[in-house]
Amino acid sequence: AVTVFTGKADCPYYARAELLADHLQANLPHFRVHKITQHPDSWEQWLRDICERNGWEHTQSPIVWRELLDRGGKGLLLGGADDFLEYAQRYYGVTSMMLREEMLDIAEENLQAHIEVEKEEEEIKSLIKPLQIWITSASAPTCYQLIPLLANGEVFGMTTEISIHLLDTEQFKEVLGGIVMEAEDLAFPLLRSISGHTDTDEAFIQADIIIVLDDVLLDHEAQSFEKRIREVSEICQVYAPLIEKNAKSGVRVISAGQTFVNLKAMMILMYSPSIKPENVIAVATPWESAAKAMLARKLHMNAGGVKDVIVWGNITDCNYIDLSHAKLYGYDGAIWGPANFPRPLLNMIYDREWIHSEFVSAQSSLSSQVCHCVGMLPAHAIATVLRYWYHGSPPGEIISVGILTEGQFCIPEGIVFSMPVRFQNGNWEVMTELEINETTQEVLGRLAHELIQEKLVALKEIKEMQPYGADNISS
């Protein structure tokens, strides 16, 4: 058994019992001691809790009990300092001759030692700062699928702890509570905490990463295009000032979801002038992955072997799936090679009519396919992009993301446009060395024109909503 001594750090009676216990442990081979001090300010609450948990009645410092390790169940209460002294005298013939002045001196030393230990523990905890991740519209299925991917260590590394904050409206409070409880039950070692929030004012506090999942309903009969744009503007007008106010200066924002991901990213940048443009991206990976799967089915191969498919333009609306740089790995064809031997995809699809007809026409159904998924595909896409952002993408591999343009590929500046990038050293860079043909350049021009028109509509809606503040917004 182990004898447990707990008391106020500045209690002289605890000091007396503690030193007697140390003497017994040093001279008796089977007498073991475990000592716990509590700060005077927290002692009474701690004592009430331990007594309530074990069904004891005790009101003073110290409290002494024996842990019967080989029997299980609650410990055997011995009592206070006098009870322990009597126990030691009766069973071991040992008593304490400590004077009161000595007891007070040791009690003062115990308090100082306790304060120093607490300070060291706080310093250690401060060095282990978890990544603060905020997810908006957190009742969405994508969020439910995303949480385990973020918490299992594969995205940020097996030594990086995370805290997840789920944000949604008051009507989804119970849903958030259920997600929080289930995530806690999973007991991920790297998940420091998870919480639900419905108070917008406390959103994005100390955020390192913000994942925006908000969507607008695409009821084309009930809503005009301008009305849907206005909804996006209203969402971003709420979030952006809070990001400016509450998030960390280097916060990274990911625009995801099923609708207007380019526009959300652009408007967050528009309303948050202090955020670095390279820290806001729109995720195109779900459309990229769906296209790869379609091609893999045509070629009767694993979709994981299809690489470097590029998604250009407006991710969730008018985009262009570019196969001119796509490669196949592990394709079971006439030519065999090592696992890292690539073959141009267009050389392996001999049915060019299929590409120009079925594949092109099927691209319009990709959005419907992605939008009707249950969250697994977009969640995996977000986790993949985050992993690349923090740890780098595979060497040479092309990843499509929406970024604020600076004239790359002759695309006009100032719109969020999906294009090929590589991630390395915690950043990304556009793969401007890729060659594109005249046909692709014409397509990119049309896509850019559509995004410019979308931006102009958004600016018009902003001016109507904020007639006196719109002049501060760059066009």
Side-chain angles (χ1 to χ4, degrees):
V2 174
T3 304
V4 182
F5 291 79
T6 302
K8 287 193 295 183
D10 63 347
C11 174
Y13 301 101
Y14 171 81
R16 186 178 188 183
E18 173 196 24
L19 287 185
L20 179 57
D22 288 342
H23 175 78
L24 293 175
Q25 181 169 247
N27 292 277
L28 299 173
H30 300 297
F31 189 89
R32 290 184 290 164
V33 176
H34 179 59
K35 295 179 287 185
I36 307 171
T37 57
Q38 299 293 331
H39 194 279
D41 295 340
S42 58
W43 164 252
E44 291 186 4
Q45 183 61 50
W46 187 91
L47 181 61
R48 283 196 296 269
D49 292 343
I50 195 72
C51 288
E52 182 179 343
R53 189 159 60 245
N54 290 280
W56 296 335
E57 291 185 8
H58 192 84
T59 58
Q60 296 178 335
S61 171
I63 181 171
V64 185
W65 71 88
R66 297 181 72 211
E67 290 281 1
L68 306 177
L69 301 179
D70 57 340
R71 301 184 187 180
K74 66 182 181 181
L76 176 64
L77 178 66
L78 296 181
D82 291 340
D83 299 304
F84 176 68
L85 294 176
E86 182 181 344
Y87 170 82
Q89 175 67 39
R90 179 180 300 175
Y91 284 93
Y92 304 113
V94 179
T95 189
S96 172
M97 304 301 292
M98 185 183 295
L99 299 176
R100 179 170 178 78
E101 289 75 11
E102 293 179 282
M103 293 165 56
L104 291 171
D105 289 342
I106 294 173
E108 185 177 348
E109 292 176 3
N110 281 344
L111 178 59
Q112 293 303 316
H114 179 86
I115 292 173
E116 289 178 7
V117 169
E118 280 190 335
K119 184 178 179 181
E120 289 178 3
E121 290 177 349
E122 287 300 319
E123 288 178 353
I124 292 172
K125 287 181 180 178
S126 69
L127 295 175
I128 309 173
K129 294 182 179 178
L131 278 175
Q132 303 292 330
I133 303 171
W134 283 79
I135 306 175
T136 72
S137 194
S139 62
T142 298
C143 176
Y144 184 82
Q145 300 281 354
L146 179 60
I147 290 171
L149 300 179
L150 297 178
N152 66 12
E154 293 183 8
V155 173
F156 303 106
M158 300 306 295
T159 59
T160 303
E161 292 189 339
I162 65 172
S163 290
I164 298 177
H165 306 269
L166 309 178
L167 179 67
D168 215 316
T169 58
E170 183 69 26
Q171 72 180 98
F172 294 107
K173 186 174 183 178
E174 289 188 11
V175 175
L176 296 186
I179 296 173
V180 167
M181 289 182 64
E182 190 166 350
E184 290 174 340
D185 290 345
L186 290 171
F188 284 109
L190 296 174
L191 183 58
R192 174 80 70 85
S193 64
I194 182 167
S195 55
H197 303 265
T198 56
D199 183 358
T200 309
D201 291 336
E202 65 183 27
F204 314 131
I205 292 177
Q206 291 298 298
D208 293 291
I209 298 166
I210 298 172
I211 302 169
V212 181
L213 297 180
D214 297 73
D215 279 313
V216 298
L217 297 175
L218 292 180
D219 187 345
H220 294 278
E221 294 181 1
Q223 292 179 311
S224 65
F225 179 71
E226 290 75 12
K227 178 73 182 325
R228 299 195 298 275
I229 294 276
R230 176 172 290 208
E231 286 189 27
V232 177
S233 301
E234 290 171 350
I235 292 169
C236 296
Q237 279 184 305
V238 172
Y239 288 163
L242 291 169
I243 295 173
E244 290 260 301
K245 176 185 175 183
N246 296 335
K248 293 180 182 176
S249 59
V251 64
R252 300 181 181 188
V253 182
I254 287 184
S255 174
Q258 302 171 355
T259 59
F260 296 107
V261 295
N262 295 57
L263 186 62
K264 284 186 293 186
M266 187 190 70
M267 300 196 78
I268 286 172
L269 283 169
M270 190 181 294
Y271 289 121
S272 309
S274 68
I275 299 180
K276 298 177 181 178
E278 61 267 25
N279 282 2
V280 180
I281 63 175
V283 176
T285 318
W287 283 262
E288 188 180 295
S289 298
K292 290 176 180 178
M294 182 185 299
L295 293 163
R297 284 191 289 269
K298 173 66 175 178
L299 293 164
H300 306 289
M301 64 175 292
N302 187 332
V306 183
K307 305 289 185 182
D308 300 345
V309 172
I310 302 174
V311 178
W312 297 94
N314 192 350
I315 297 165
T316 49
D317 194 358
C318 295
N319 59 50
Y320 170 57
I321 309 295
D322 182 2
L323 305 182
S324 60
H325 299 276
K327 301 179 185 66
L328 303 179
Y329 292 84
Y331 178 63
D332 187 12
I335 301 174
W336 283 49
N340 61 349
F341 175 68
R343 274 168 284 187
L345 180 142
L346 292 178
N347 290 354
M348 298 296 106
I349 298 182
Y350 301 104
D351 186 0
R352 291 304 177 91
E353 184 61 31
W354 178 85
I355 294 176
H356 296 300
S357 58
E358 289 186 42
F359 181 74
V360 172
S361 62
Q363 288 183 35
S364 60
S365 68
L366 287 179
S367 290
S368 176
Q369 180 180 331
V370 172
C371 292
H372 287 86
C373 68
V374 294
M376 190 184 305
L377 175 58
H380 180 266
I382 295 167
T384 299
V385 169
L386 275 172
R387 185 173 73 250
Y388 290 167
W389 207 346
Y390 275 81
H391 300 290
S393 52
E397 189 167 324
I398 297 172
I399 311 298
S400 302
V401 296
I403 56 111
L404 188 67
T405 55
E406 296 180 349
Q408 304 95 331
F409 301 107
C410 300
I411 298 167
E413 296 182 17
I415 55 175
V416 171
F417 196 94
S418 179
M419 61 180 66
V421 305
R422 66 169 68 86
F423 290 90
Q424 57 186 10
N425 302 321
N427 298 302
W428 52 262
E429 62 177 0
V430 179
M431 302 177 71
T432 52
E433 72 274 13
L434 294 180
E435 295 183 2
I436 57 175
N437 57 39
E438 291 184 7
T439 303
T440 300
Q441 192 67 67
E442 290 178 7
V443 173
L444 300 189
R446 291 199 302 271
L447 297 177
H449 177 74
E450 291 172 2
L451 278 168
I452 290 170
Q453 294 305 308
E454 184 176 273
K455 179 179 179 179
L456 292 174
V457 172
L459 290 172
K460 178 175 178 292
E461 293 299 315
I462 292 169
K463 288 181 180 179
E464 290 181 359
M465 288 188 289
Q466 297 181 325
Y468 301 106
D471 292 338
N472 295 324
I473 299 172
S474 171
S475 59

